[in-house]
Amino acid sequence: MQMSTRSPDRILQRLDWTVVRRLDGLLQGDYRTLFRGFGLDLAGLREYEMTDDVRYIDWNVTARMQTPYVRQYTEDRDVTAWFLLDMSPSVDFGTVQTLKRNVLIDFVTVLARLLTRHGNRVGAILYSGKVEGMIPARSGKYQVLRLLNALVNLPKLKHAPPTDLSPLLEAALRMIRRRSLVFVVSDFISAPGWEKPLGTLTQRHDVMAVRVYDPREMELPDIGTIIMEDAESGEQIFVDTHDQPFRRRFAQAAQRREYKLNVALSRVGVDVAELSTEDDLVQQIVKLATLRKRRKTAPASFARPRARGLTPGPEIARLGT
């Protein structure tokens, strides 16, 4: 499916019918769990009661009034969500049903639609070899179409410098001032060094890593001689997939990269969701909602589940026969 040949209106209409409507029935009240506000607004003061939390005592007022007073708060339900989007050449790979790029666009569009439909704001920072630009956070259906239009019309690069997610994350640190819900959507095929800015971002915002992958990045099929191309440099090599030892080494290398990525994400304290080119988007978003719900209700020692997503190096970013 070539998304660039279709209008944002048609894409949004398709997703409304095939994804959003199904999510309405499956998630129901869990929208609040998935998209919860961060701020607390002071509503007023009242005298302390035995069942009150002592942490809310206003000691200055208590000293003046000579009796304990507590602060009352109302939760800010509004959410500002940002999508940090890796649109580098490696997302133009897919062997099962669609490209990673298409899965990424569908995911971002659906979440933006759900958020803005409930009165929240969404914005995005786009990366494709370099930071391409920023879409300021706004609400409404027009904002979703604006974001979708930017994604489908972003030029696909045949070749690009090696992907480095650090500039994308550093741009987010500069541009996103208010505490927000931040989705880092990428296949995480990147030069090292992005862990530090991601860790800093996690300290300031509620961050979730969304890893996009294709199953063939983990295990090669036995389909004979193929051409493998580096999506960024354009370098090509011939590979005989009938060679079982080669396929085994390929899978082992992919597993090592996956392990290193999972360790890095766990170290900076980021929850991980996965998007596969072969799985149903509705079920993947439901899993994301379940992860966030469990994360919000779990104690501080909650252990994040190990993701099974795929993180190959750039040498296998594009595959052709």
Side-chain angles (χ1 to χ4, degrees):
M1 177 178 59
Q2 298 296 324
M3 279 201 175
S4 60
T5 64
R6 303 188 58 184
S7 71
D9 293 273
R10 294 294 299 275
I11 296 173
L12 182 57
Q13 184 181 53
R14 170 179 62 82
L15 292 172
D16 271 342
W17 279 96
T18 61
V19 179
V20 175
R21 284 175 177 263
R22 291 171 60 196
L23 285 172
D24 284 339
L26 292 171
L27 290 180
Q28 298 178 356
D30 282 343
Y31 281 126
R32 181 169 295 179
T33 299
L34 189 57
F35 310 126
R36 188 178 67 177
F38 306 103
L40 292 175
D41 295 326
L42 180 63
L45 295 163
R46 62 169 174 79
E47 287 192 29
Y48 173 82
E49 298 177 357
M50 290 296 294
T51 56
D52 289 333
D53 191 329
V54 295
R55 293 176 297 178
Y56 294 134
I57 293 178
D58 189 314
W59 294 106
N60 291 328
V61 175
T62 296
R64 290 198 303 269
M65 303 299 293
Q66 297 298 305
T67 187
Y69 270 75
V70 293
R71 295 179 178 181
Q72 291 182 294
Y73 295 93
T74 57
E75 184 179 3
D76 176 12
R77 293 290 181 180
D78 292 335
V79 174
T80 299
W82 285 88
F83 297 98
L84 310 187
L85 303 177
D86 173 14
M87 306 296 289
S88 57
S90 62
V91 301
D92 292 317
F93 171 72
T95 58
V96 181
Q97 297 178 2
T98 185
L99 301 179
K100 291 189 290 182
R101 176 186 291 263
N102 293 349
V103 173
L104 182 154
I105 291 175
D106 282 358
F107 171 80
V108 171
T109 302
V110 169
L111 257 64
R113 180 66 163 148
L114 295 176
L115 280 158
T116 56
R117 196 178 62 171
H118 287 76
N120 303 298
R121 302 190 305 157
V122 297
I125 303 176
L126 277 58
Y127 174 90
S128 181
K130 60 183 178 66
V131 176
E132 298 289 346
M134 185 263 284
I135 300 175
R138 294 191 177 92
S139 189
K141 182 179 178 180
Y142 179 78
Q143 176 72 351
V144 180
L145 291 171
R146 182 186 182 193
L147 174 58
L148 183 52
N149 183 69
L151 291 176
V152 298
N153 289 298
L154 187 69
K156 296 182 180 181
L157 302 178
K158 291 185 177 180
H159 307 301
T163 298
D164 184 357
L165 293 177
S166 295
L168 173 63
L169 299 168
E170 290 165 355
L173 288 170
R174 294 192 305 270
M175 297 177 183
I176 306 175
R177 301 300 177 88
R178 179 186 176 187
R179 180 166 170 80
S180 302
L181 174 61
V182 177
F183 295 96
V184 183
V185 190
S186 172
D187 55 13
F188 288 92
I189 300 173
S190 171
W194 50 266
E195 298 90 343
K196 183 176 180 180
L198 180 61
T200 304
L201 193 69
T202 302
Q203 295 173 8
R204 301 182 186 178
H205 304 283
D206 183 2
V207 180
M208 171 164 281
V210 181
R211 182 166 51 177
V212 187
Y213 71 95
D214 185 277
R216 291 296 177 258
E217 293 171 326
M218 187 60 149
E219 185 176 0
L220 285 177
D222 184 357
I223 54 175
T225 302
I226 60 173
I227 299 174
M228 301 181 70
E229 179 177 327
D230 187 314
E232 294 172 344
S233 70
E235 180 181 358
Q236 296 181 339
I237 59 172
F238 284 93
V239 172
D240 182 9
T241 61
H242 288 323
D243 186 343
Q244 186 174 0
F246 172 79
R247 296 201 312 274
R248 183 169 57 250
R249 291 194 301 271
F250 181 96
Q252 291 170 347
Q255 290 169 0
R256 286 194 297 269
R257 287 188 293 268
E258 178 191 5
Y259 174 77
K260 290 179 181 178
L261 176 60
N262 289 330
V263 169
L265 292 172
S266 178
R267 184 178 294 125
V268 298
V270 175
D271 288 326
V272 184
E274 296 182 322
L275 294 177
S276 168
T277 56
E278 69 173 359
D279 291 338
D280 178 54
L281 181 60
V282 170
Q283 294 302 321
Q284 292 180 98
I285 293 178
V286 169
K287 288 180 181 179
L288 183 150
T290 302
L291 173 62
R292 284 187 60 80
K293 185 175 182 178
R294 182 171 54 182
R295 177 66 174 146
K296 289 180 182 297
T297 57
S301 61
F302 171 75
R304 293 173 179 81
R306 183 177 184 273
R308 66 168 182 85
L310 313 173
T311 56
E315 71 275 9
I316 60 169
R318 186 179 297 147
L319 178 66
T321 55

